[in-house]
Amino acid sequence: ITYGTYDLLHQGHINLLRRAKALGDYLIVGVTTDNFDLDRGKLNVRNNVMERIENVRKTGLADEIIIEEYLGQKIDDIQRYNVDIFAIGSDWEGHFDYLREFCQVVYLPRTEGISSTQLREEFQEEIIDHHRAGDGKEVAEKLRPRGKRRTAERHVAVQPEPREEGQRKNNQHRRDMRGNRDEPEVEQ
């Protein structure tokens, strides 16, 4: 199993996925949600979670793609999927040693000279250069993150409540919004 944001998927990501896949016979790739990235301080992620999942899928290297939504999920996933090896880039060296209690931890070499941060910085420089040349608005629009981040994430990342509980909360919300607490609940 491996995890990442996989923003602006690039050769470094692909190399890491290949190396992780070579460690076993089945690769599970965890892709972080937009909210989890924000909570971790990643404020400039360009691709929404749906785009990032699709890009990982297109590599053909992931046997299964899961969503990482919360701190502590790695331990839950390792136990849930009976994982033998946790693999992550060497830039995280030592950070995930605590997982050795649950499985083998392997830090894979990074691909030098490429990173999502570097690509975002290059895009920002391109916007500034084009702005100075007078066509910055058009370039900025092309490089603007696409998609509705929150909407896309809700469909993927949020665990649905049991139907009855969700319906009860929905009915309560409707009554609260109308100010009428005696309205009968809708059955479905």
Side-chain angles (χ1 to χ4, degrees), residues 24-35:
D25 55 2
Y26 192 84
L27 179 61
I28 300 170
V29 178
V31 178
T32 57
T33 64
D34 299 327
N35 282 338

Side-chain angles (χ1 to χ4, degrees), residues 5 26 79 105 110 120 144-145 168 179:
T5 300
Y26 192 84
Q79 292 175 331
V105 176
R110 285 186 49 117
R120 283 188 292 270
R144 185 179 59 78
R168 186 190 65 71

